[in-house]
Amino acid sequence: MALARNIAVLIGGVGGAKLASGLAAVVPTERLSFIVNTGDDFWRLGLKICPDLDTLMYTLAGLVNPESGWGVKADSTVALDFLAQRYQVEPWFRLGDKDLATHLLRTHWLNDGRSLTEATACLVKRLAIRSAILPMCDEEAPTMLDTVADGELGFQEYFVKRSWAPAVRAIRHKNCERAKLSAQVRRALTRADIVLIAPSNPWLSIAPILAIPGMRDLLSQLAAPVVAVTPIIAGDAVKGPTAKIMRELGLQVRASAIARYYRGIISGFVDDLRNEPADFADLRSIQLDTLMIDQARKAALAQATLDWVGSWSP
Amino acid sequence: MALARNIAVLIGGVGGAKLASGLAAVVPTERLSFIVNTGDDFWRLGLKICPDLDTLMYTLAGLVNPESGWGVKADSTVALDFLAQRYQVEPWFRLGDKDLATHLLRTHWLNDGRSLTEATACLVKRLAIRSAILPMCDEEAPTMLDTVADGELGFQEYFVKRSWAPAVRAIRHKNCERAKLSAQVRRALTRADIVLIAPSNPWLSIAPILAIPGMRDLLSQLAAPVVAVTPIIAGDAVKGPTAKIMRELGLQVRASAIARYYRGIISGFVDDLRNEPADFADLRSIQLDTLMIDQARKAALAQATLDWVGSWSP
């Protein structure tokens, strides 16, 4: 297996960042390109917040809070507390002081006319990250959740403010028809020797990426293998609402349902060895330990996945 | 002397805020209106910073840092340090984390379409301040310093970045011809029973207010007494570049030069008892202890000034 392969990864937040961390440990980091969900992005107090971009950036810069998997380690909330105590601003979205620095700089650059792709590249460069971190698109295409009891909610209102409690009936990607594949995303995908879909929430983190016009076609036409890693282990999600949403959408909480969701895009599927062996139809599949509870296991999963795909006969 | 008098104060930053603090101790605070210099205002990292408005706000809310006289007490610089260390943003303008909360909220409201007067009123209300804090105008009219060796510098570049070291040749108030007297400023002045000019820097803090078209005329036509308090004590400024700038502009560093600068506007002048008795021509004048080194002396100066003006025969 040649080491100098280009790898592109479709990715969301905390779950995906674990695989990113593993890949960065076993692949020359400049060979990695991440195409990141921005459906979670929102504006708060005039600041543009991009949770998934930030989680990945902080992870690859070695700055992430290891307890939560998001935010900056050893951060404080002095500004947020002052806003709450003195200015009666409800602190439902936690913004650390260090984290604020990122939002300030990004918002400043965006208001100055840079695209999100450009602003992210500047942040990434200053953080000395050598991988490409690419927002899925430059346009805003926010994820909206149609809930059974509360109507349509914005992503952060559903996810953070309401702790993903409301039952979801449908999900839409607002204005996604106006989003465009950026030159950078297109290049990362067409140059890739392997495309991975991280074990992120398919409906909340990967679907927004797939909703960009042209993305599904591009992925299905690539010569390179496209391989998804299961976010479902032993009938549940490691973290977050993946399993809950699957049930609410009437799906069985099984890896095979995930593989079916990606049908037409993926050529291979990494299942977890804790799952019942399943029939993945015409897909190549393997069972690996996908529970990335420490850095060694993140790297091992990345390596095993790449080795497996590298072993495919051309 | 009736207590229920309306008092309007033209005011700059730290020096003026001491008198404001004294006035708030001896006058019902809802009777006080402050017309505040915004020539120092600037944009930093996409945030609108209004140093004099903030100094006054924090002072009247009991939140000001007592050591510096500006900024919030017990503040930290976590965001600023992160910007410097991780994003290579030069931290020349100190922004505390609590202070950032103010700038964030104000900038958010401004970008949302509120005027600076409205945004300031909202901050003031949330801080439970009962006095009116009015920006001198809603338009941007930044103070620019023509320096001998470095050409024209913006105020904060001169004052903070260069520690007011460059020699000043002239001062201009950029775009001041476009500034307008707001309804709130006009009302505060026409309703006032006494107008005070705080012991702020006449050239840097009061001149920008006087440069607003219509302001000099309005002040000179008021029936109410207009009284300035000297910022020069014993041949020097208590703090800041007042004396240095006077020398650079070829003026003698004397209270009489200050009184002359305000000629046509003021009817009375509060000199310091440490100064040589001077000839203030047709102005009423008094010598008081204007060195406000503690809260008792701030209140004493405020009370003595009001008593003196109140004793004038109508």
Side-chain angles (χ1 to χ4, degrees), chain B residues 115-263:
Chain B
S115 68
L116 184 57
T117 300
E118 290 165 343
T120 305
C122 291
L123 294 171
V124 161
K125 189 176 177 193
R126 294 198 185 188
L127 290 174
I129 296 168
R130 301 178 68 204
S131 305
I133 298 184
L134 307 171
M136 65 185 202
C137 59
D138 283 321
E139 299 77 15
E140 298 195 343
T143 301
M144 308 297 293
L145 296 104
D146 182 17
T147 65
V148 174
D150 304 283
E152 192 167 74
L153 301 176
F155 183 84
Q156 297 301 340
E157 174 139 28
Y158 159 78
F159 194 79
V160 176
K161 203 169 190 177
R162 311 288 295 274
S163 307
W164 43 278
V168 171
R169 193 154 47 191
I171 297 160
R172 75 178 176 110
H173 311 291
K174 192 175 165 182
N175 295 331
C176 68
E177 67 281 2
R178 292 187 219 159
K180 290 181 201 70
L181 279 175
S182 69
Q184 292 84 345
V185 165
R186 186 180 291 277
R187 195 181 323 124
L189 287 171
T190 51
R191 275 187 178 179
D193 300 298
I194 300 177
V195 177
L196 298 176
I197 299 181
S200 303
N201 187 314
W203 291 274
L204 297 181
S205 298
I206 305 299
I209 305 176
L210 300 179
I212 301 169
M215 179 62 90
R216 283 181 172 273
D217 282 350
L218 178 58
L219 288 171
S220 64
Q221 289 160 13
L222 292 176
V226 180
V227 174
V229 179
T230 183
I232 292 295
I233 302 177
D236 206 353
V238 176
K239 198 182 162 189
T242 304
K244 177 171 177 285
I245 281 185
M246 290 181 83
R247 282 189 291 270
E248 289 163 3
L249 296 178
L251 298 165
Q252 288 191 307
V253 185
R254 289 191 180 166
S256 55
I258 307 283
R260 207 171 301 123
Y261 183 72
Y262 291 139
R263 186 178 288 166

Side-chain angles (χ1 to χ4, degrees), chain A residues 18 291-300:
Chain A
K18 291 183 190 172
L291 191 62
M292 297 178 278
I293 54 176
D294 56 32
Q295 183 56 30
R297 262 169 272 208
K298 294 172 193 172

Side-chain angles (χ1 to χ4, degrees), chain A residues 14 18 59 62-75 239 293 298:
Chain A
V14 176
K18 291 183 190 172
T59 297
L63 293 171
V64 81
N65 178 346
E67 278 88 51
S68 59
W70 55 269
V72 183
K73 63 185 169 189
D75 206 352
K239 199 183 160 186
I293 54 176
K298 294 172 193 172

Side-chain angles (χ1 to χ4, degrees), chain A:
Chain A
M1 166 189 153
L3 274 175
R5 291 183 300 175
N6 295 319
I7 299 169
V9 188
L10 309 194
I11 194 164
V14 176
K18 291 183 190 172
L19 182 64
S21 182
L23 286 164
V26 303
V27 171
T29 48
E30 68 276 14
R31 294 285 181 173
L32 293 168
S33 295
F34 297 94
I35 295 157
V36 185
N37 169 42
T38 57
D40 303 7
D41 293 7
F42 71 119
W43 290 85
R44 176 86 181 132
L45 297 172
L47 296 174
K48 171 86 162 185
I49 319 278
C50 306
D52 287 357
L53 285 171
D54 290 346
T55 293
L56 185 60
M57 246 172 28
Y58 296 149
T59 297
L60 293 180
L63 293 171
V64 81
N65 178 346
E67 278 88 51
S68 59
W70 55 269
V72 183
K73 63 185 169 189
D75 206 352
S76 50
T77 55
V78 174
L80 199 72
D81 295 344
F82 196 77
L83 278 166
Q85 290 159 18
R86 299 294 175 177
Y87 291 123
Q88 296 97 55
V89 174
E90 203 195 333
W92 63 268
F93 193 86
R94 189 185 158 90
L95 289 173
D97 298 310
K98 296 178 183 179
D99 198 26
L100 263 181
T102 302
H103 308 317
L104 272 172
L105 207 50
R106 172 171 42 223
T107 306
H108 178 43
W109 287 334
L110 290 176
N111 288 340
D112 220 40
R114 295 192 210 195
S115 69
L116 184 59
T117 300
E118 290 165 342
T120 305
C122 291
L123 292 171
V124 161
K125 190 176 177 194
R126 295 198 184 189
L127 289 174
I129 296 167
R130 301 177 68 203
S131 305
I133 299 185
L134 306 172
M136 66 187 202
C137 59
D138 283 322
E139 299 77 16
E140 298 194 343
T143 301
M144 308 296 294
L145 296 103
D146 182 17
T147 64
V148 173
D150 303 282
E152 192 167 74
L153 299 176
F155 182 84
Q156 297 302 339
E157 173 138 30
Y158 160 77
F159 195 78
V160 177
K161 204 168 187 176
R162 311 287 296 273
S163 308
W164 43 278
V168 170
R169 191 155 46 191
I171 297 161
R172 76 178 175 111
H173 312 290
K174 191 175 165 183
N175 293 331
C176 68
E177 67 283 1
R178 294 186 216 159
K180 290 180 201 70
L181 279 175
S182 70
Q184 291 86 343
V185 164
R186 187 179 292 278
R187 194 181 324 123
L189 287 171
T190 52
R191 277 185 176 178
D193 300 298
I194 300 178
V195 176
L196 298 176
I197 299 180
S200 303
N201 187 315
W203 291 272
L204 296 182
S205 298
I206 305 300
I209 306 176
L210 300 179
I212 301 168
M215 179 63 89
R216 284 181 171 273
D217 281 352
L218 178 59
L219 288 170
S220 64
Q221 289 160 13
L222 293 176
V226 179
V227 174
V229 178
T230 181
I232 291 294
I233 302 178
D236 205 353
V238 176
K239 199 183 160 186
T242 304
K244 177 171 178 284
I245 282 184
M246 290 180 82
R247 281 189 292 269
E248 288 162 2
L249 296 177
L251 298 165
Q252 288 193 307
V253 185
R254 289 191 179 167
S256 55
I258 307 283
R260 208 171 302 123
Y261 184 71
Y262 291 139
R263 186 178 288 166
I265 294 168
I266 60 173
S267 41
F269 190 80
V270 176
D271 196 9
D272 189 84
L273 44 75
R274 294 164 191 82
N275 293 343
E276 291 287 315
D279 176 14
F280 292 105
D282 53 345
L283 289 181
R284 298 183 195 242
S285 70
I286 189 172
Q287 286 190 308
L288 296 173
D289 181 0
T290 70
L291 191 62
M292 297 178 278
I293 54 176
D294 56 32
Q295 183 56 30
R297 262 169 272 208
K298 294 172 193 172
L301 175 61
Q303 189 67 63
T305 300
L306 296 179
D307 287 347
W308 173 59
V309 179
S311 73
W312 294 4
S313 52

